[in-house]
Amino acid sequence: MRLLVLRSLTAGLLVAVLVHSVVWCFDAQRPVMQPINALLLIAAAICGIPADRVTAAAEGRRQALRAMAHDLARSSILLGEARDLAARPKPGQIYPRLRLAALDAAVFMNALHKHRDQDILQRALDVQNMAFELNRRLEITEVRLCTAENIQRTEIDYLAASAVSPDGPFARTAAALTGLREAVDAALRPRAWWSRSATSGPA
């Protein structure tokens, strides 16, 4: 809504400058015409500066959300591959890791709006924590499978059970990724201009 107001005000002032310039051509003898024209130009420039800043912030937010969506889709595939491998563990097995570079950048570089995207930011932090914990579990599992000479069958069975458990780390991480992906997709959908009055952040 703020961007719409700034753009409308800037456009209105520029139109006023154009109209005033035309009038000035037919009434060039009046000394007051020049300062009025200059004031209108200055006002249009002042309104245009924050409009450009808001536009740049909105574009940066959209790019961050698109990068997050790509990252989350890739991470979901990697999670599925790791889960399939964990369901059939064997010595020497290597697991793919979740990579969330765009997610980390969006959270720590303030690319998102702290009020408008509060739900996304909270979900992103939850996904970060879960991904870190899952990657740590996978690393420990790799070490056990690759270095332990006589790994117990109970350990292998436990890993396989955790991979398919509805309350296991794979299932929880998958649910968190899905929830964040849905929130990001919803934020990327274009909104009607009248619905933007509910928020004051960049469009």
Side-chain angles (χ1 to χ4, degrees):
M1 184 62 180
R2 182 175 60 179
L3 180 58
L4 178 63
V5 171
L6 288 172
R7 283 176 173 173
S8 300
L9 185 57
T10 302
L13 287 169
L14 290 175
V15 171
V17 170
L18 177 62
V19 172
H20 184 269
S21 299
V22 173
V23 174
W24 191 9
C25 291
F26 295 97
D27 193 9
Q29 302 303 320
R30 296 180 62 183
V32 73
M33 299 298 283
Q34 183 175 359
I36 291 177
N37 192 269
L39 285 173
L40 289 173
L41 284 172
I42 292 173
I46 291 174
C47 290
I49 292 172
D52 288 342
R53 293 182 61 186
V54 172
T55 301
E59 182 58 29
R61 174 180 177 270
R62 281 191 293 269
Q63 291 180 0
L65 289 172
R66 292 190 190 105
M68 287 177 64
H70 176 76
D71 232 15
L72 292 169
R74 182 170 175 269
S75 293
S76 296
I77 295 173
L78 293 175
L79 179 63
E81 294 175 355
R83 187 173 188 172
D84 290 341
L85 290 173
R88 300 183 300 274
K90 58 184 179 181
Q93 199 166 60
I94 302 297
Y95 299 96
R97 304 289 199 275
L98 299 185
R99 306 295 183 184
L100 299 170
L103 186 63
D104 295 339
V107 172
F108 293 112
M109 296 182 66
N110 297 321
L112 303 181
H113 195 272
K114 62 180 179 179
H115 298 301
R116 177 177 173 183
D117 299 318
Q118 186 175 8
D119 179 58
I120 293 177
L121 288 170
Q122 184 58 54
R123 290 177 181 272
L125 290 173
D126 292 340
V127 168
Q128 281 180 318
N129 293 333
M130 291 184 181
F132 176 80
E133 178 63 23
L134 182 61
N135 285 341
R136 187 182 67 85
R137 285 172 178 263
L138 293 174
E139 183 177 355
I140 294 173
T141 300
E142 282 182 2
V143 172
R144 290 290 296 158
L145 291 175
C146 293
T147 62
E149 294 182 0
N150 297 313
I151 188 170
Q152 298 295 321
R153 183 64 195 179
T154 54
E155 293 186 58
I156 294 180
D157 292 341
Y158 176 78
L159 176 61
S162 68
V164 298
S165 172
D167 296 325
F170 290 95
R172 292 196 302 269
T173 304
L177 285 173
T178 300
L180 179 56
R181 178 65 186 274
E182 290 175 351
V184 170
D185 288 343
L188 283 171
R189 294 191 194 103
R191 299 182 302 153
W193 66 268
W194 59 82
S195 68
R196 297 176 186 175
S197 59
T199 61
S200 58

